[in-house]
Amino acid sequence: MSDEIVATRRDRGRVVAWGLWDWGSAAFNAVIVTFIFSVYLVDGVGDDVPGPFRAATWLGLSSAAGAVLIAVIAPALGRRTDAGGARKKSLFWLTLAVVVITASLFFVENDWHFLWLGLTLMAAGSVIFELTQVPYFAMMRQVSTPDDVGRVSGFGWALGYFGGIVLLLICYFGFVTGDGDTRGIFGVSSENGLNIRVIALVAAVWFLVFAIPLFLKVPELPATANEDSPKVGILDSYRGIWNDVTTMWRDDRDTLKFLIASAFFRDGLAGVFAYGAVLAVSVYGITKDDVILFGVAANVISAAGALLAGRYDDRIGPRAVIVFSLASMLVCGVILLFVEGPRMFWIFGLGLCLFVGPAQSASRTYLTRITVPGREGQNFGLYAMTGRAVSFMAPLAFALTIWAGNLLLGTTTDRWGIFGIMIILAVGLALLLRVPAHIEDRARSLTR
């Protein structure tokens, strides 16, 4: 049974199947949230939305609202999947829900009256997609050993980025490039945003197809894997969460400190990708078509960073990787606040992207290493909860710094949103410096 809880040897088939879920999830992350559909909502659907707020501000506010639901649901989900042996089952239904929501974005027409439908679906999709991370991340010990967890995590992130590259290229050349009434190789009409809406259907199918290998290859967690936590009702799960947190504060405070620190810097990392494409178009003059090419380049460099960082993660530890990555991102972000034009955004925007993957990958390996085997779902549930408990901060900081900067300086630009995201990253870095740099993987006792 221990091999089902913690892998004692690397099974390449399981690793690849697990990583292909990351490859498929790029359909939602890269295409919907970051480079295509969010831009369509802000600069197409909501371009002339009436009222005191710009569409970018509404996007930030809706993201913040969705974050509250994640904070409420995620920890109970993680605790119940550990106790009931339902990691794969939970991941299946959550993945299917994201696929359905992604496909439903087809109905968001290019008219500001549809902005609210688009924002609602985007927020709901983001909530459920974040919940998928709980059982998915918890599976990492089932496909990696203590000696290679960093490389496996980096491999997964890299596959996610490469999946984004391939799908973005398909979307760009197939449905976006060109002028006139039809776009792309497939000649889809651009009237009423049809070519972009069709992309939502393509993204939904992409995620569904590449998620299937995981469900066929990676085994379900045994129901007895965490015998100290029998399956309980939802209300009892929330009571158990409070006990988990108080026990962690008393006996495992370093884990709790990391959860708090990572909540801040992960929110900042999410903000970089969530609003990067919006800023590229509205601030730095990159065309809506070229922003997809930037997305391809961003995914290439992020994948390279994640693969390289995975090896350093196993050698020098995940905290060192995260600290270096966050510090480098702050330097790039400050420079972006003052420069102009597409060229500068290409240089320093890609600089930011180089360090996003390493920070994300090393964050989940740090928590994996310090988690008692069999409690990965519980801790990654808390990981999602703490992340989303503050995840309103980057969207809110993005929205408020745009509003405040324009109000104080008499401008009409989204540039000031960069400052808000950098603040959140800086707070996360400061808190991270208070957690131990060197940790022993708690799964080693099961693999010796």
Side-chain angles (χ1 to χ4, degrees):
M1 181 181 295
S2 64
D3 191 48
E4 295 174 303
I5 303 171
V6 178
T8 56
R9 59 183 178 82
R10 185 192 300 181
D11 184 320
R12 291 187 178 181
R14 289 186 183 181
V15 171
V16 172
W18 180 80
L20 282 175
W21 190 96
D22 254 331
W23 171 287
S25 72
F28 189 78
N29 273 333
V31 173
I32 302 301
V33 174
T34 307
F35 293 110
I36 296 183
F37 215 88
S38 61
V39 176
Y40 169 66
L41 277 181
V42 171
D43 289 293
V45 178
D47 183 52
D48 56 349
V49 63
F53 296 137
R54 295 168 60 86
T57 302
W58 282 118
L59 179 62
L61 293 174
S62 65
S63 300
V68 176
L69 290 177
I70 298 170
V72 171
I73 299 171
L77 173 68
R79 205 170 193 276
R80 285 169 62 79
T81 58
D82 276 349
R87 280 183 188 169
K88 190 162 70 170
K89 180 180 178 181
S90 297
L91 182 59
F92 173 80
W93 289 112
L94 291 167
T95 299
L96 188 60
V98 175
V99 169
V100 171
I101 289 172
T102 302
S104 299
L105 288 168
F106 173 79
F107 299 104
V108 180
E109 299 180 16
N110 191 6
D111 183 297
W112 73 263
H113 293 89
F114 288 86
L115 176 64
W116 320 116
L117 174 62
L119 291 175
T120 300
L121 289 172
M122 289 275 287
S126 295
V127 168
I128 299 175
F129 184 81
E130 186 71 21
L131 295 178
T132 66
Q133 307 296 296
V134 177
Y136 179 69
F137 287 1
M139 282 183 175
M140 190 156 55
R141 269 212 174 124
Q142 294 172 255
V143 298
S144 67
T145 69
D147 292 326
D148 64 16
V149 62
R151 279 170 286 176
V152 169
S153 180
F155 171 75
W157 279 115
L159 272 188
Y161 287 126
F162 283 127
I165 294 166
V166 175
L167 185 55
L168 283 170
L169 286 173
I170 291 172
C171 291
Y172 178 74
F173 290 108
F175 304 98
V176 175
T177 189
D179 298 308
D181 295 333
T182 60
R183 301 294 175 86
I185 295 172
F186 300 109
V188 179
S189 171
S190 60
E191 184 178 358
N192 209 16
L194 181 62
N195 61 318
I196 303 300
R197 291 156 53 205
V198 168
I199 286 174
L201 297 179
V202 173
V205 173
W206 180 276
F207 193 3
L208 180 63
V209 169
F210 287 105
I212 290 174
L214 180 147
F215 300 112
L216 297 178
K217 192 72 176 177
V218 180
E220 179 62 276
L221 182 74
T224 56
N226 191 357
E227 295 176 347
D228 294 332
S229 300
K231 190 171 182 178
V232 295
I234 294 175
L235 291 178
D236 287 333
S237 293
Y238 283 106
R239 295 189 188 100
I241 292 165
W242 176 251
N243 291 333
D244 293 340
V245 172
T246 55
T247 300
M248 191 177 289
W249 174 256
R250 184 180 64 248
D251 302 330
D252 196 10
R253 198 168 296 184
D254 287 336
T255 299
L256 188 58
K257 287 180 179 179
F258 175 74
L259 288 171
I260 295 171
S262 72
F264 280 88
F265 71 71
R266 284 184 291 122
D267 195 35
L269 296 175
V272 170
F273 267 106
Y275 305 115
V278 173
L279 293 170
V281 173
S282 66
V283 175
Y284 296 95
I286 293 180
T287 67
K288 295 177 185 179
D289 290 354
D290 286 346
V291 76
I292 300 177
L293 297 180
F294 177 84
V296 172
N299 276 270
V300 170
I301 198 166
S302 295
L307 283 173
L308 180 63
R311 296 186 175 278
Y312 282 101
D313 185 317
D314 290 327
R315 294 176 186 174
I316 65 176
R319 198 197 78 154
V321 173
I322 303 170
V323 168
F324 180 77
S325 298
L326 295 180
S328 301
M329 290 180 71
L330 287 172
V331 172
C332 292
V334 170
I335 294 173
L336 275 173
L337 194 59
F338 296 101
V339 298
E340 302 279 355
R343 179 178 297 178
M344 290 293 100
F345 186 81
W346 272 88
I347 294 172
F348 295 103
L350 290 179
L352 278 172
C353 294
L354 177 64
F355 299 105
V356 171
Q360 290 173 322
S361 177
S363 180
R364 70 181 179 185
T365 62
Y366 190 102
L367 184 58
T368 297
R369 291 180 189 277
I370 60 177
T371 295
V372 175
R375 295 185 179 271
E376 293 87 358
Q378 170 188 303
N379 277 5
F380 276 110
L382 292 172
Y383 185 74
M385 182 197 75
T386 52
R388 291 308 164 180
V390 302
S391 68
F392 67 90
M393 295 188 67
L396 192 59
F398 178 77
L400 290 180
T401 49
I402 291 174
W403 173 77
N406 289 330
L407 180 66
L408 294 174
L409 299 175
T411 55
T412 55
T413 177
D414 295 333
R415 176 188 297 272
W416 311 118
I418 300 171
F419 183 64
I421 295 172
M422 291 303 108
I423 290 174
I424 305 302
L425 285 175
V427 171
L429 175 58
L431 293 172
L432 181 66
L433 293 175
R434 300 175 62 85
V435 305
H438 302 288
I439 52 174
E440 176 70 17
D441 194 309
R442 292 182 175 179
R444 287 195 180 279
S445 60
L446 294 181
T447 59
R448 287 169 180 161

